[in-house]
Amino acid sequence: MKNYLKLLNFEVNRFFKLYLTLIGLIIVSQFIGAIVVSKGYMNVTDQVINKNQLSVSQYIKEYGLFSFEQFVGSEWFVLPILFSIAMLMIYVFFIWYRDWFGKNTFIYRLLMLPTERITIYFAKLTTIMLLVLGLVTLQILLIPIEIKIVTSIIPTDFRSDFSSSHFDSLEMLVWLYPNAFIEFILIYGVGLILVAVLFTAILIERSYGLKGIFFAIVYGMLSFGVFIAPILLNVFSNDYFYALEIFLMLLVMSIIVLGSAIWIANHLLKYKIRV
Amino acid sequence: MIEVKNVEKKYGRKRVLKGLSFTAEKGEITCLIGINGVGKTTIMKAIMALTPINSGEILIDGKKIRKESFEKVTFIPDTITMLPQMKICDAFSFMADFYKNWDPQRAEELLQFFKLDPTERIANLSKGNMAKVNMILGLALNVDYLLMDEPFSGIDIFSREQIAEVFTSHLIEDRGVIITTHEISDIEHLIDRAVLIDNGEVLKEFSVEEVREKEGKSVVDVMREVYRG
Amino acid sequence: MKKYWKTILMSLIIVTTIGSYYIQQAMASKNDISFKIETTRGNKGEIDNLILQASYQSDDTYHRLNISKEGSTNQKSGSFVGELIGQYKPLMIQKYIQEHRKFMRGKEINPGQYFEDEDRLIYTYFRSKGLGNLFTLQIDTLDKHTNDSSSFEINMPDQVRYDWITERDVYVENGKIKIIATSYLNGDEELHLYTVDKNKKELEHDSILAKLQLEERTKVIIQVFNDYNKVQNENYILYMVEKYKYLENGEREIISNPMYLYNYLNNEVKEWTIPAELKSYMNSIILQGTDIFIPVRSTNGLVVNRYNIEKKQWEEPINFKYPSIANAKEEPSLQITDGKLYLVDRVSDGHLFLIGDLRTGESLYEGKIIIENKEKLDADYSLYIEQIANI
Amino acid sequence: MTVKFNNRDPVYVQVIRHFKEQIAKGYFEPGQEIPSRRELANQLKINPNTAQRAYKEMEEQGLIFTEGNMPSCITKDEAVLKSVREELIIEAVDLFLGSIKSIDVPLSEVLELVKKKHDAESGEAEESK
């Protein structure tokens, strides 16, 4: 357990500098966006009001209030999120391959540590989850600040009230920030399983070289197949099962998929891995 | 002792190790000798379970390798096993963090012996110095067995001499050492046992002093016989 | 431990932020609107096992809830858990699933496909067989006493080719299963009556009650007035065939909308004319047993006009007195089951909930549905009752 | 104290001969302490196991003795010392005879030459002192 924590901390440290730049990028882009979008809105309203001499209430009746969702939907807000997701997806692979390639052979050191080699797998898996949840947390913390920025630029009578949760405006955000905690656990649980399966696929490739890629793909599809088997089963038995039963079966399947991913990874790291 | 018992290994269809067997005693320096590509490095990786073997068995003190073994055996490959952006002192604290029998004093001693600055970044070290730091990562561990892959190849003459001195020091005494090399000349009188290897097979395994005593032959003479014969 | 400050710090921030975000989300939904029923008059027992499936709407918040005498339980709209336990299925279907879990497997949730009486529950399903829109009709029967079920499938004749078929009502009587269904084929709409002989397990008769081709700009809808949400064994079906077209200014102009009464027993279709003064209340027509009710909100209550189909005459209208609000923006929610009228209508301080006996016209129970957390009151909220069922 | 080892004779034998030469030359007085195994390995750049073997062999031959874990010392036994000197001289003579045999010169002539060479050298040694 102690080795797991040390390895976890070590992996986090390795990515920390890049992580800080990512966080910096998100903050800068979203803050600038908040200013730009709000200022842009105000300029437009001033022009329209002056041009056709409208009163504020007439303008509002005609063009409606500024809602925070207009900022959330803007590219300033969305692009850094997409960029971070892409970066993390790449790092899911890079977190392993960097140990093999590059000037050094750090994988030797990792595999020669006096600890179960599966600890390396768990440490890297937890690192990815920490990085993902870290950005999820960042966004939750940034929203109130961005609201302050917007409210400082757009006077109250031009904007709707910003109280309700802002994560249900964009399809993508509804997935990243479900409104029930149980849904949060399920979604990020599936995310964890996806990363675990990807890790095992990487280890398969690392253990069997060229034909390893083929094995890895087959393994990935197999895991996906097993995971959605209950849904297929239900379709072929034309809806024989109730939603709750399907859900329970999916739960069992996901535990099987996760369990097998870990078991295979453990077996590979112990007996089949090649440096 | 480390026993390698008829180990078979294939890379795809190419048979790299063909039923290879030898033993390395604790307290002796065993040298695997063979030209490049005969599978010397592969054997070492196999011993450390860094590469799988198709059949055969490798025992360390009678047991298969498991996580505790890594406190008793260490492997110094021909490239450094630390991150380039690490300082030498970071590398040492990493080792101290994970290995119970990492000996900081000995590491310090070796650093002074090799005249290296602990705050230096690994990336900026010369090839020779990098080899020395890599060496310290193994030597400063209180292990029973030390596997070194081509410790002398491709580094400057002065570093080579410094490293050779290590072999005559207390650091090696009563530890099992396996080193690999493809030119035996400069370390012939350092080793206890020689294992001549050619494309994945052991041609001859002998005690160097015995051969000198009985047949008055140097290792190079034996090699000439065996490889040409 | 201090060496690992980065990881520890990160984990702490993550746990606290996400934790507090979801606690705050949970809090937010906890103090959502909640209602309770306060009895003002009549016997309390009437509402004992009643559940009102309602939806609450005020400017931009909308969510569904179940109101009963214990209070109201929120169904977070589209909550995953609610979905899982089938909370959003019509109450009648939920009841069937509870009682006949095995029989109900894989069944659709449209009450119009079911027929129930003391000893049987019958389920009908038009299954389209892949491309070319060929259909088969599947009939499952559950014997409530012995609890075993049988099922047979009939291949619909070749000319039954539609994009899709929606069952509206099922009526079973001495071996004959009569299914009223609207079928659609690229825009055209037909109201069919399929008669299936239960013993011979074959389609006996397929008559078209109403058929309309889509002329160029005219639109057509067939509206069946029987209550969609409940499985009622009415002997009659009242339906209207409305033809209308859109004028340039987007207004809808009705060309014709004759209404017909179909009698399951003797297979007769008769045209039925609604009195002119009641025409504007057509949308709240309810057919129950052998009566057609048309409720009209009056200044101080509700007048329920009643037409007896068998006697073919309008009977004495029943009226219920309560301080209704003349031009309230909400329609009264009204449901008639087993001779009782269940009415929910806007009154000054909330919603009146009235249960009246249609035969005698006197109100059995009167109560008020009011918002519990007063501070949450926002004047122009609206409460729409989708269905009232006793569980 | 650097020694050039050849690769054909066992290293430990060469170490022992080196010690015998030192004793014969009087570099090591009887009873004098000699370096420990570890120091010797380091000085001569040889494998500690070899140094270990050499010491064991010398002890058997009585050249050195070690009490408890005190450092080893050269023997004081005159007989052993004398035999060491003799052994080396004989060895040198064998070597000398082996090499002049091939030149086929009468023994007396050779001895004459050796005496003259020896006197000249010892004379020089006298002046230089």
Side-chain angles (χ1 to χ4, degrees):
Chain A
M1 185 52 192
K2 212 158 153 7
N3 282 331
Y4 162 70
L5 289 176
K6 288 181 199 165
L7 266 178
L8 170 64
N9 185 62
F10 181 72
E11 285 290 344
V12 166
N13 274 332
R14 281 170 86 178
F15 191 69
F16 211 66
K17 235 196 240 99
L18 206 60
Y19 199 51
L20 289 184
T21 40
L22 201 57
I23 289 172
L25 182 98
I26 293 170
I27 293 177
V28 163
S29 158
Q30 289 193 351
F31 281 9
I32 294 176
I35 299 166
V36 162
V37 168
S38 330
K39 278 260 183 331
Y41 176 77
M42 287 318 289
N43 297 349
V44 164
T45 47
D46 292 348
Q47 270 156 19
V48 167
I49 288 178
N50 303 343
K51 197 150 64 59
N52 353 24
Q53 293 311 327
L54 293 173
S55 79
V56 172
S57 55
Q58 276 165 331
Y59 176 85
I60 298 299
K61 210 162 75 52
E62 187 66 31
Y63 294 91
L65 296 164
F66 176 88
S67 82
F68 192 65
E69 272 55 41
Q70 275 170 273
F71 163 63
V72 168
S74 73
E75 66 282 6
W76 292 96
F77 185 85
V78 173
L79 276 186
I81 294 180
L82 293 179
F83 179 72
S84 321
I85 291 173
M87 283 289 282
L88 288 183
M89 273 316 287
I90 292 167
Y91 196 62
V92 164
F93 292 90
F94 188 61
I95 196 169
W96 282 103
Y97 283 109
R98 70 184 307 184
D99 291 336
W100 263 272
F101 302 114
K103 276 196 306 304
N104 60 49
T105 50
F106 192 62
I107 190 62
Y108 282 74
R109 181 51 58 198
L110 286 177
L111 295 177
M112 292 196 293
L113 292 178
T115 167
E116 282 304 329
R117 288 180 174 175
I118 195 69
T119 326
I120 306 166
Y121 179 90
F122 286 140
K124 287 184 189 277
L125 193 59
T126 324
T127 306
I128 296 289
M129 291 317 284
L130 265 183
L131 296 179
V132 167
L133 293 177
L135 292 186
V136 167
T137 306
L138 175 74
Q139 193 58 73
I140 294 176
L141 296 174
L142 287 185
I143 291 281
I145 305 169
E146 282 149 13
I147 289 179
K148 281 210 185 54
I149 295 176
V150 172
T151 46
S152 68
I153 297 171
I154 300 179
T156 44
D157 41 25
F158 275 91
R159 48 181 163 76
S160 66
D161 108 71
F162 286 174
S163 66
S164 72
S165 140
H166 303 285
F167 289 124
D168 40 24
S169 56
L170 277 175
E171 178 58 25
M172 170 180 77
L173 292 179
V174 170
W175 279 99
L176 290 176
Y177 298 90
N179 43 36
F181 187 60
I182 175 125
E183 290 164 27
F184 181 86
I185 296 288
L186 291 178
I187 288 172
Y188 286 90
V190 169
L192 177 76
I193 292 171
L194 173 70
V195 175
V197 168
L198 279 176
F199 272 12
T200 303
I202 292 170
L203 287 179
I204 291 174
E205 186 274 331
R206 281 294 85 197
S207 303
Y208 294 99
L210 208 56
K211 56 181 170 29
I213 299 172
F214 171 70
F215 289 155
I217 294 169
V218 167
Y219 161 73
M221 285 196 282
L222 209 64
S223 298
F224 180 69
V226 166
F227 183 74
I228 59 164
I231 299 172
L232 299 181
L233 175 69
N234 188 46
V235 165
F236 292 131
S237 63
N238 45 51
D239 296 321
Y240 179 82
F241 298 99
Y242 288 102
L244 187 60
E245 289 160 355
I246 298 173
F247 174 70
L248 292 178
M249 286 194 280
L250 276 175
L251 216 57
V252 168
M253 285 304 157
S254 46
I255 291 168
I256 288 171
V257 167
L258 185 60
S260 58
I262 292 170
W263 187 87
I264 294 171
N266 184 42
H267 178 75
L268 290 178
L269 281 169
K270 254 188 161 163
Y271 305 111
K272 289 286 184 269
I273 199 73
R274 304 181 323 179
V275 290
Chain B
M1 74 177 163
I2 295 182
E3 294 156 284
V4 174
K5 294 189 207 156
N6 46 53
V7 166
E8 280 284 341
K9 174 146 172 83
K10 290 200 286 293
Y11 277 135
R13 270 179 307 287
K14 182 165 163 297
R15 275 177 79 202
V16 174
L17 301 179
K18 301 171 184 137
L20 184 134
S21 306
F22 73 92
T23 57
E25 294 301 335
K26 187 168 188 304
E28 269 186 5
I29 298 181
T30 306
C31 182
L32 307 185
I33 307 166
I35 52 168
N36 279 349
V38 290
K40 304 194 297 296
T41 310
T42 311
I43 300 166
M44 292 204 143
K45 285 189 197 169
I47 294 172
M48 300 302 288
L50 291 177
T51 191
I53 53 176
N54 297 74
S55 68
E57 201 186 18
I58 298 176
L59 299 177
I60 298 170
D61 291 341
K63 282 199 280 301
K64 276 210 183 310
I65 197 159
R66 39 191 176 60
K67 66 182 168 78
E68 294 75 14
S69 325
F70 291 114
E71 295 269 8
K72 284 175 60 185
V73 190
T74 192
F75 173 44
I76 304 172
D78 48 16
T79 55
I80 192 159
T81 58
M82 275 298 166
L83 297 178
Q85 66 270 25
M86 272 178 165
K87 294 200 199 77
I88 295 179
C89 49
D90 302 337
F92 285 1
S93 65
F94 179 91
M95 295 297 283
D97 222 6
F98 284 97
Y99 290 92
K100 278 200 253 352
N101 46 27
W102 169 260
D103 181 346
Q105 281 80 23
R106 182 177 296 174
E108 203 40 50
E109 245 175 64
L110 282 163
L111 257 188
Q112 267 133 33
F113 173 70
F114 283 135
K115 299 182 194 61
L116 289 169
D117 158 19
T119 59
E120 189 55 68
R121 261 190 213 297
I122 290 180
N124 323 339
L125 290 174
S126 70
K127 202 161 184 312
N129 285 343
M130 215 182 266
K132 289 177 208 164
V133 171
N134 203 17
M135 182 77 90
I136 297 174
L137 297 180
L139 287 172
L141 273 175
N142 244 314
V143 284
D144 298 342
Y145 298 98
L146 259 162
L147 277 60
M148 300 186 194
D149 191 5
E150 304 277 357
F152 302 108
S153 73
I155 50 175
D156 59 81
I157 180 73
F158 301 106
S159 315
R160 195 192 300 228
E161 255 162 28
Q162 275 184 320
I163 291 176
E165 270 198 48
V166 161
F167 276 83
T168 62
S169 74
H170 59 288
L171 294 172
I172 295 293
E173 215 175 332
D174 55 51
R175 286 211 229 171
V177 175
I178 304 179
I179 58 175
T180 66
T181 184
H182 54 275
E183 7 96 22
I184 183 70
S185 52
D186 48 29
I187 53 164
E188 175 150 355
H189 56 271
L190 276 177
I191 60 174
D192 296 309
R193 286 180 67 76
V195 181
L196 304 188
I197 295 175
D198 194 15
N199 66 55
E201 277 167 323
V202 172
L203 299 181
K204 191 169 171 55
E205 183 179 355
F206 57 94
S207 153
V208 174
E209 289 283 85
E210 249 163 52
V211 158
R212 286 189 188 120
E213 200 160 8
K214 291 199 183 67
E215 299 161 31
K217 292 199 196 86
S218 73
V219 175
V220 175
D221 306 336
V222 177
M223 282 167 67
R224 229 175 254 113
E225 272 168 33
V226 165
Y227 284 115
R228 202 138 296 106
Chain C
M1 247 329 146
K2 71 147 192 45
K3 224 146 54 90
Y4 315 131
W5 65 271
K6 284 200 187 87
T7 324
I8 294 169
L9 189 66
M10 227 169 123
S11 325
L12 273 179
I13 297 175
I14 288 173
V15 170
T16 40
T17 315
I18 293 180
S20 56
Y21 174 76
Y22 276 103
I23 290 167
Q24 178 237 342
Q25 287 289 97
M27 295 304 291
S29 66
K30 186 177 282 79
N31 47 39
D32 278 351
I33 293 293
S34 64
F35 289 86
K36 67 177 172 14
I37 305 175
E38 266 174 12
T39 314
T40 42
R41 230 178 324 86
N43 110 46
K44 228 165 163 334
E46 281 294 335
I47 65 164
D48 262 350
N49 39 35
L50 273 191
I51 286 191
L52 287 78
Q53 216 173 25
S55 57
Y56 163 84
Q57 170 94 31
S58 90
D59 55 58
D60 59 359
T61 57
Y62 161 85
H63 58 78
R64 302 157 59 108
L65 62 154
N66 286 354
I67 307 174
S68 66
K69 72 172 172 28
E70 284 90 25
S72 69
T73 55
N74 256 300
Q75 291 165 16
K76 222 48 201 94
S77 59
S79 99
F80 180 76
V81 172
E83 204 60 52
L84 271 190
I85 52 179
Q87 222 172 18
Y88 305 120
K89 291 176 179 166
L91 289 171
M92 184 52 74
I93 302 293
Q94 289 184 40
K95 188 158 158 294
Y96 283 162
I97 290 177
Q98 238 158 17
E99 285 156 8
H100 322 295
R101 187 170 177 85
K102 194 166 174 320
F103 176 74
M104 286 301 285
R105 280 190 176 279
K107 299 277 195 295
E108 304 263 313
I109 58 169
N110 154 17
Q113 293 173 245
Y114 293 86
F115 172 81
E116 184 186 23
D117 57 17
E118 297 75 28
D119 34 31
R120 279 170 315 179
L121 173 61
I122 295 176
Y123 166 76
T124 66
Y125 176 51
F126 283 97
R127 186 195 306 278
S128 87
K129 278 287 179 222
L131 296 175
N133 321 84
L134 255 180
F135 276 83
T136 61
L137 173 57
Q138 176 192 332
I139 311 266
D140 295 3
T141 315
L142 171 73
D143 184 322
K144 283 192 180 172
H145 309 307
T146 65
N147 223 340
D148 48 29
S149 65
S150 64
S151 148
F152 59 89
E153 202 158 356
I154 312 166
N155 290 326
M156 299 302 285
D158 199 22
Q159 88 279 11
V160 177
R161 285 180 178 286
Y162 296 105
D163 296 337
W164 68 87
I165 298 178
T166 321
E167 294 91 346
R168 307 311 284 270
D169 194 26
V170 182
Y171 187 81
V172 178
E173 207 240 346
N174 52 49
K176 294 283 185 293
I177 304 175
K178 292 183 179 162
I179 305 169
I180 297 278
T182 42
S183 42
Y184 304 83
L185 187 62
N186 44 50
D188 294 354
E189 198 176 328
E190 286 165 9
L191 187 65
H192 277 260
L193 168 70
Y194 301 98
T195 317
V196 170
D197 184 319
K198 203 163 172 339
N199 313 340
K200 295 203 200 86
K201 293 186 174 57
E202 53 182 41
L203 178 66
E204 202 181 77
H205 188 64
D206 167 10
S207 70
I208 300 176
L209 302 180
K211 185 168 172 49
L212 279 138
Q213 270 73 30
L214 175 67
E215 278 105 24
E216 353 68 31
R217 265 191 15 275
T218 59
K219 283 260 181 318
V220 123
I221 53 159
I222 298 175
Q223 195 173 349
V224 175
F225 287 98
N226 295 48
D227 188 329
Y228 165 76
N229 254 323
K230 296 201 311 328
V231 177
Q232 295 282 73
N233 314 341
E234 311 300 348
N235 303 349
Y236 293 90
I237 286 273
L238 174 67
Y239 59 93
M240 171 181 72
V241 180
E242 184 181 83
K243 262 171 94 177
Y244 61 92
K245 64 177 175 354
Y246 282 102
L247 305 176
E248 284 67 27
N249 57 20
E251 286 303 323
R252 217 164 76 123
E253 186 219 322
I254 297 173
I255 303 164
S256 68
N257 58 1
M259 298 177 85
Y260 302 93
L261 251 176
Y262 166 73
N263 175 339
Y264 268 118
L265 298 175
N266 53 26
N267 253 328
E268 265 171 23
V269 175
K270 285 207 301 324
E271 183 152 3
W272 182 74
T273 48
I274 183 168
E277 77 279 9
L278 291 175
K279 239 187 189 320
S280 60
Y281 298 98
M282 199 166 22
N283 285 333
S284 43
I285 292 176
I286 298 175
L287 186 144
Q288 226 280 305
T290 59
D291 297 307
I292 297 177
F293 298 96
I294 306 181
V296 173
R297 184 193 275 129
S298 67
T299 51
N300 49 22
L302 189 83
V303 172
V304 180
N305 305 295
R306 185 150 60 139
Y307 175 83
N308 186 311
I309 301 174
E310 253 114 24
K311 295 196 198 91
K312 294 190 189 58
Q313 58 175 22
W314 288 92
E315 273 149 11
E316 205 20 56
I318 320 154
N319 45 57
F320 297 96
K321 293 274 171 300
Y322 60 87
S324 68
I325 306 168
N327 46 24
K329 72 173 175 26
E330 286 165 80
E331 287 298 316
S333 314
L334 206 123
Q335 187 180 309
I336 296 177
T337 332
D338 323 330
K340 281 190 198 149
L341 169 82
Y342 296 88
L343 164 71
V344 172
D345 193 6
R346 191 60 190 265
V347 287
S348 57
D349 57 353
H351 284 78
L352 171 98
F353 180 28
L354 182 139
I355 304 175
D357 180 339
L358 278 176
R359 276 184 303 285
T360 62
E362 33 104 13
S363 80
L364 301 167
Y365 169 86
E366 232 180 275
K368 273 221 182 44
I369 303 177
I370 48 166
I371 295 183
E372 255 176 345
N373 25 31
K374 283 280 171 297
E375 78 293 352
K376 279 284 170 194
L377 187 69
D378 114 37
D380 61 356
Y381 80 92
S382 65
L383 189 69
Y384 169 68
I385 307 296
E386 272 148 30
Q387 197 196 354
I388 299 171
N390 45 47
I391 296 298
Chain D
M1 183 164 60
T2 57
V3 176
K4 188 72 194 63
F5 292 107
N6 70 53
N7 287 338
R8 287 214 173 68
D9 300 333
V11 174
Y12 80 93
V13 166
Q14 296 179 54
V15 167
I16 294 170
R17 174 159 341 86
H18 164 69
F19 266 82
K20 286 178 179 169
E21 277 159 14
Q22 297 298 75
I23 294 167
K25 288 183 195 137
Y27 185 80
F28 284 138
E29 279 111 13
Q32 183 195 335
E33 258 183 40
I34 55 171
S36 74
R37 289 162 187 73
R38 189 170 297 170
E39 276 149 17
L40 184 77
N42 215 299
Q43 279 160 17
L44 301 187
K45 299 284 171 299
I46 54 167
N47 176 334
N49 300 342
T50 318
Q52 165 72 8
R53 185 147 181 218
Y55 273 50
K56 201 150 107 319
E57 192 64 28
M58 282 195 282
E59 244 164 39
E60 271 151 24
Q61 290 175 16
L63 268 173
I64 59 169
F65 62 91
T66 4
E67 278 135 6
N69 45 29
M70 293 285 291
S72 318
C73 310
I74 301 295
T75 174
K76 295 192 184 72
D77 175 345
E78 275 308 317
V80 168
L81 292 172
K82 224 155 91 16
S83 72
V84 162
R85 280 184 79 263
E86 260 157 35
E87 197 185 319
L88 285 183
I89 293 164
I90 291 161
E91 205 174 281
V93 166
D94 293 347
L95 212 63
F96 173 72
L97 286 178
S99 57
I100 61 146
K101 189 174 272 110
S102 57
I103 310 168
D104 182 26
V105 65
L107 182 59
S108 59
E109 194 187 333
V110 163
L111 286 177
E112 191 46 34
L113 257 172
V114 162
K115 191 171 175 319
K116 205 139 76 357
K117 201 79 168 87
H118 181 272
D119 294 350
E121 233 170 51
S122 63
E124 277 157 17
E126 283 309 325
E127 283 135 18
S128 73
K129 216 193 243 102

